[in-house]
Amino acid sequence: MERWINSTAGPDFVLLGLFLHIQAPKVLFTLIFLVFLTALGGNVMMMILIWLDSHLHTPMYFLLSQLSLMDLLYSSTFVPKIAIDFLSGRNSISYIGCGIQLFLFTTLVGAECLLLAVMAYDRYVAICHPLHYSVLMCPVVCAFMVTGTWLGALLNALIHVIYTLSLPYCASREIHHFFCEIPALLKLVCADTSLYENGLFVSGVLFLLFPISAIMASYGQILSTILRLRSNLGMRKALATCSSHMIVVSLFYGSAIIKYFLPKAYHTEEQDKVVSVFYTILTPMLNPLIYSLRNKDVAGALRKVLGR
C-alpha cells in the first residue's frame, strides 16, 4: 500500500508518442485523426443499423454489434489523448491516468480476442450444423458467451494492471510509446521482471493462441463443408460471410502476434509503435468497412436507412 501511495505521488509518466522522429508530424496527426473519425462513424453506423433493422436481429449481427462497440471504445481510448498531447504540446500522463488507460486497453484487447473466436464458432454452427443453429446459438447461449468474453477480459486486465502498477519504477518515467502498455512500462521498472514476463506469455497463449487455434479449427470444418455444397449460391454466400471474418481475424491477430510473440531482437521500439497503430487505430476503422462492403445484408440495411 505504501509503495502504491509513493508511486501515485511521484512524477507523471511522459509519453514520447508517435511524432518524436517524424519529419511531418502535422500530416501524420491529420491522417490519424481522419482514421479515428472514420472508425467512429463506421462503428456507430454499424451498431445503429443492427439495432434498427429487424432482419439483422440474429446472433451473428449481435456479435458484430459487440465487435463494433469494442472497436469504438478501443480507438476512443487512445486517439483523444494523442490529439490533446499534440495540440497542447504536453505529453505527460498521471499515474492513475496511465492505470486507467492500461486497464481499458487490456480489457478491450482481451475481449476482442475472445469475441472473434465466438464469432468463428457462430459461423461454424451456422454452416456445419444449420439444423441445430437455433438451439446452439439461442439468445441465452449467445448472451452467456458474450458476457464470458467481457468478464474473462476484465479479470485478466485487473490482475495485470494491479501487478504492473505495484512494481517499483525508476527515476526516468519516459515511455517510448503513444499509450500505456505493459511491455513499454516494464522497461521502466527497477526490478527483475522475468518471472512476470513468463506470466504475460501464459496470458498471451490463453488470449491469442488458444482463440486463434479455435478459429482455425472452425474454419477448417467450414471449408470442408463448403466444398461439399452442391448449391453455388449457398457456397458463395458462405464464402462471402466467412472471408470477411477471416480478413478481420488476420489483421487483428497477425499484428498482435507480431507484437507480443516475436522475439525482442526482431523488432525495435519504432516498429512496435507502427504495429500498435495498426491494431489500435487502423483495425477499428477497417472492421466496419470490411463487413459493410462485403455483406449484402448490412449493405441492404444501409440502403434502407438512407432511403428513409
Side-chain angles (χ1 to χ4, degrees):
M1 185 67 181
E2 184 181 348
R3 182 190 293 175
W4 188 86
I5 293 171
N6 290 337
S7 297
T8 55
D12 292 345
F13 289 107
V14 177
L15 296 169
L16 297 183
L18 288 168
F19 312 108
L20 189 61
H21 302 296
I22 301 296
Q23 294 182 349
K26 291 182 180 179
V27 175
L28 180 59
F29 170 73
T30 304
L31 287 173
I32 288 173
F33 201 71
L34 288 174
V35 167
F36 170 67
L37 292 178
T38 306
L40 197 67
N43 286 295
V44 169
M45 178 201 71
M46 187 68 72
M47 289 189 291
I48 290 173
L49 287 177
I50 293 170
W51 179 61
L52 288 177
D53 197 318
S54 59
H55 293 97
L56 302 182
H57 293 175
T58 64
M60 183 180 89
Y61 292 107
F62 172 67
L63 296 174
L64 184 54
S65 70
Q66 290 295 305
L67 180 66
S68 292
L69 175 62
M70 289 175 187
D71 284 339
L72 181 65
L73 295 173
Y74 208 38
S75 53
S76 300
T77 302
F78 312 111
V79 180
K81 174 62 178 169
I82 293 172
I84 291 169
D85 288 350
F86 182 80
L87 296 174
S88 67
R90 296 179 66 245
N91 295 333
S92 62
I93 183 170
S94 68
Y95 183 88
I96 294 174
C98 185
I100 292 171
Q101 194 179 63
L102 180 62
F103 177 74
L104 290 173
F105 166 73
T106 311
T107 299
L108 292 167
V109 76
E112 189 157 336
C113 284
L114 298 177
L115 182 71
L116 289 172
V118 173
M119 292 174 74
Y121 172 74
D122 170 72
R123 290 301 82 206
Y124 161 73
V125 175
I127 294 170
C128 300
H129 302 284
L131 298 178
H132 300 100
Y133 184 74
S134 59
V135 176
L136 294 174
M137 288 301 294
C138 68
V140 174
V141 173
C142 199
F144 179 78
M145 288 194 291
V146 169
T147 304
T149 64
W150 281 105
L151 290 178
L154 281 167
L155 179 61
N156 176 68
L158 199 61
I159 293 169
H160 284 299
V161 170
I162 290 173
Y163 188 82
T164 302
L165 295 183
S166 68
L167 293 170
Y169 288 92
C170 304
S172 173
R173 292 207 170 191
E174 291 186 345
I175 301 173
H176 288 265
H177 212 338
F178 61 92
F179 69 97
C180 290
E181 191 176 17
I182 291 174
L185 284 169
L186 290 182
K187 293 176 182 177
L188 306 181
V189 173
C190 298
D192 181 19
T193 60
S194 56
L195 186 61
Y196 177 54
E197 287 176 17
N198 291 334
L200 278 176
F201 180 81
V202 172
S203 183
V205 169
L206 292 174
F207 281 85
L208 282 173
L209 295 189
F210 278 5
I212 202 169
S213 299
I215 290 169
M216 296 306 293
S218 297
Y219 277 99
Q221 290 294 319
I222 289 171
L223 183 61
S224 175
T225 302
I226 288 174
L227 293 175
R228 293 198 300 267
L229 287 176
R230 295 182 181 179
S231 167
N232 289 331
L233 180 62
M235 184 182 293
R236 283 200 299 271
K237 187 174 180 181
L239 284 172
T241 304
C242 295
S243 60
S244 298
H245 186 58
M246 282 307 295
I247 292 170
V248 171
V249 166
S250 301
L251 291 173
F252 183 78
Y253 281 104
S255 54
I257 287 172
I258 289 171
K259 177 70 182 289
Y260 290 103
F261 282 92
L262 202 65
K264 294 178 182 178
Y266 292 94
H267 52 100
T268 63
E269 289 177 346
E270 295 303 316
Q271 289 169 338
D272 283 345
K273 288 182 187 179
V274 173
V275 174
S276 296
V277 165
F278 196 83
Y279 69 80
T280 57
I281 299 174
L282 285 179
T283 303
M285 178 201 71
L286 293 173
N287 286 352
L289 293 177
I290 290 168
Y291 278 107
S292 61
L293 293 175
R294 298 180 61 86
N295 190 299
K296 290 182 180 179
D297 294 334
V298 174
L302 179 60
R303 281 194 296 268
K304 265 195 236 176
V305 171
L306 294 177
R308 290 174 187 171

